[in-house]
Amino acid sequence: MRTWLRLARAELPLLRDLPDFSERPLPRIGVDLGPTVPGWVLRAGAVVATGGCLVIATQRSGVADWLAGVLVVVGVVVMALWPSMTAACTATVVTGLLVAADGYGPFDPVVFGLVPLVWVGIRLAWWAERVALPARVEVAALARGVPRGLVLVGGTLVVGALAFELAGRPSSVLVLIGGVALVVLAGLVFARRR
């Protein structure tokens, strides 16, 4: 194969006159970065947020201690080894089901603390899924999208507070209206994102 390439180079003037890039070194490129965060910090944050959600939900719902331990350990181990949006969203659904099944029903005041924690867990899981442990992410990149998330969390908390104040007691109609409002709010946020 090399003989054929040498013959082709000798025969074709165009190939003979091509510059040889091995003769000169490549230019050096300098990049200035702002403050960065290591990838392992993002993964640790996702693990803590996911584990925190599951611990709060299992303690609030009153499930058996062994089942609560299994749920928390499985959620933490999965997020630590394979961080992903799927794992974070699954933990969110399990958290929601446990809170909905507790004695307070869907109007448990603990959700006002869980909503921001769930959002932080999902956001950190998204980053941890895409960034290797030794890699570094610029803080400016991490902050991009935080205002939109704060609007989403704030809107969710406002709708939840209105439902909590208006209902007083659990009402299936208000739960349905609140669920539809949250789906519409999330749809508006994600529609703009695409």
Side-chain angles (χ1 to χ4, degrees), residues 162-189:
L162 287 174
F164 189 75
E165 285 299 319
L166 291 175
R169 299 255 177 219
S171 166
S172 58
V173 173
L174 288 176
V175 170
L176 182 63
I177 291 171
V180 169
L182 290 178
V183 168
V184 169
L185 183 62
L188 289 173
V189 169

Side-chain angles (χ1 to χ4, degrees), residues 3-5 7 9 23 28 39 82 87 91 98-99 121 128 131 133 147 150 153 164 190:
T3 308
W4 182 81
L5 288 174
L7 181 63
R9 183 176 179 187
E23 295 174 0
R28 291 194 172 263
W82 305 287
L98 288 172
V99 169
V131 176
L133 289 175
L150 292 176
V153 169
F164 189 75
F190 288 118

Side-chain angles (χ1 to χ4, degrees), residues 74-146:
V74 167
V76 165
V77 167
V78 167
M79 186 58 75
L81 297 179
W82 305 287
S84 67
M85 288 290 293
T86 304
C89 290
T90 302
T92 301
V93 169
V94 169
T95 299
L97 289 174
L98 288 172
V99 169
D102 72 1
Y104 294 98
F107 291 100
D108 190 348
V110 77
V111 299
F112 294 114
L114 282 175
V115 168
L117 187 61
V118 163
W119 180 78
V120 167
I122 288 174
R123 180 125 172 104
L124 288 174
W126 186 89
W127 275 103
E129 181 179 12
R130 287 159 175 79
V131 176
L133 289 175
R136 302 187 73 75
V137 178
E138 197 170 358
V139 173
L142 290 173
R144 191 176 159 91
V146 169

